[in-house]
Amino acid sequence: MTQLRHRVFCAIVVTASALCVFFTESAEAQKPAKITVPKNVIFEPNIEYSNPDGQHLQLDMARPTGDGPFPAIACIHGGGFRAGTRQGYDGLCIRLAQQGYIAVTVSYRLAPKYQFPAAIHDVKAAIRWLRANAKEYKIDPGRIGVTGGSAGGHLAQFLGVTADVKQFEGAGGNADQSSRVACVVNYYGPSDFTKSYGKSVDAAEVLPLWLGGNLEQARQKHILASPLYWVTPNAAPTLCVHGTEDKYVAHEQAVWLIDKLKAAGVEAELLTLDGAGHGFKGKDAERAENAMLAFFAKHLGISRP
């Protein structure tokens, strides 16, 4: 057991971060791959950031060595709001730490036991925790970005458009801190749940579990939970990355969001990957990550090596 604990800091088991899906995690996304933690990165797993309803929510943190302060990025896993684990982004967090960021991957409460807006409350609590602990971990509280895939992309985007909406803050701790983020990179996250039915292969199965009913039974929650309806000129700069052959979250969901952000005067970009589905591989995964790194570098003040 002692040996196992030691190895956590040397090698971690992760899933391919770019393959976290919206409603059902693919078999390929669950395949473990060992990633060595470089000497210039400090990896700290299992840090509790909030304890709503006795759930002891945790995050894993990768940070560069040095004096800082460093910009931070929160990574939010997918899984249809009912599945997935934060460990799927451990590998990405380590890569981000090598780029000069403090990166965390966070757990949040899952449906059907915990429905909307519990997950929103949790990811906002994670951002507030980062600010509350900025001095201890050498974080620049003014430079915090967020990314996520699928359901995680939705939660990241929700952070980007609801910074000043008190009804979504929840009671997860550090209420004196802001949950505002400086920028968002949204991988194929849904923007309008009212238009997901018939366009997603399993929206009719999954969304009622998180929203407490289907569109007819819980229309107001579908609207409240959709980032598209919360866009204002105060929204965070956003990059959406989406494939044209996504069967879980239609590409048009990203188009609607980017168009509305631009109409509000918010800096917004859409990287469309022709022929890509829900989760990227090969050249598509490389293009997506390069675009993400460039966007974060621009908005969080990092000079890329």
Side-chain angles (χ1 to χ4, degrees):
M1 193 65 180
T2 301
Q3 183 180 9
L4 178 61
R5 288 173 181 164
H6 174 73
R7 290 177 62 192
V8 167
F9 290 87
C10 301
I12 56 177
V13 177
V14 300
T15 57
S17 63
L19 297 176
C20 295
V21 304
F22 180 25
F23 293 141
T24 307
E25 286 194 302
S26 66
E28 185 169 358
Q30 297 177 32
K31 290 181 180 179
K34 289 185 178 180
I35 296 181
T36 300
V37 179
K39 291 182 179 180
N40 63 343
V41 171
I42 300 168
F43 179 69
E44 299 181 53
N46 309 324
I47 301 171
E48 183 171 316
Y49 74 87
S50 185
N51 186 27
D53 197 30
Q55 294 303 295
H56 299 285
L57 299 176
Q58 295 180 330
L59 58 82
D60 298 346
M61 177 185 290
R63 51 194 177 96
T65 56
D67 295 331
F70 302 102
I73 297 172
C75 303
I76 307 175
H77 70 80
F81 307 103
R82 63 174 181 173
T85 66
R86 70 180 184 277
Q87 287 82 4
Y89 276 132
D90 280 341
L92 176 59
C93 287
I94 289 170
R95 295 196 299 278
L96 289 171
Q98 290 180 285
Q99 298 279 334
Y101 301 98
I102 291 177
V104 298
T105 173
V106 304
S107 293
Y108 52 90
R109 289 172 292 173
L110 301 174
K113 182 177 181 180
Y114 294 101
Q115 297 181 344
F116 169 84
I120 303 292
H121 291 169
D122 296 343
V123 296
K124 282 180 171 286
I127 302 300
R128 296 196 306 269
W129 183 92
L130 288 172
R131 287 199 166 91
N133 292 274
K135 185 175 182 180
E136 177 179 355
Y137 290 103
K138 303 177 183 178
I139 296 168
D140 183 343
R143 293 189 291 163
I144 299 177
V146 62
T147 188
S150 200
H154 164 275
L155 294 172
Q157 193 66 64
F158 212 88
L159 283 168
V161 296
T162 61
D164 301 315
V165 183
K166 292 184 179 179
Q167 75 185 83
F168 293 123
E169 290 297 325
N174 301 301
D176 59 324
Q177 301 293 329
S178 171
S179 64
R180 177 177 292 276
V181 295
C183 55
V184 177
V185 177
N186 172 356
Y187 283 73
Y188 41 83
S191 64
D192 187 350
F193 290 129
T194 71
K195 297 179 181 177
S196 293
Y197 295 86
K199 297 294 184 69
S200 164
V201 296
D202 57 2
E205 173 190 353
V206 174
L207 289 182
L209 296 177
W210 193 51
L211 298 174
N214 61 26
L215 188 56
E216 292 183 359
Q217 298 163 335
R219 174 175 289 273
Q220 187 62 20
K221 284 190 177 180
H222 282 67
I223 294 170
L224 287 174
S226 297
L228 191 69
Y229 298 102
W230 292 100
V231 170
T232 72
N234 293 322
T238 295
L239 167 66
C240 284
V241 186
H242 217 116
T244 59
E245 297 301 317
D246 194 323
K247 299 298 189 292
Y248 290 85
V249 181
H251 176 262
E252 61 188 359
Q253 295 260 345
V255 175
W256 299 332
L257 179 66
I258 293 300
D259 285 349
K260 191 164 185 179
L261 286 165
K262 287 182 175 180
V266 178
E267 182 180 344
E269 302 175 22
L270 173 58
L271 173 60
T272 294
L273 298 176
D274 291 331
H278 198 71
F280 308 137
K281 304 175 184 179
K283 293 291 186 181
D284 287 333
E286 184 178 343
R287 284 187 64 196
E289 184 156 318
N290 283 338
M292 174 194 68
L293 291 173
F295 194 79
F296 280 141
K298 176 180 179 181
H299 292 280
L300 298 179
I302 283 283
S303 297
R304 295 187 65 187

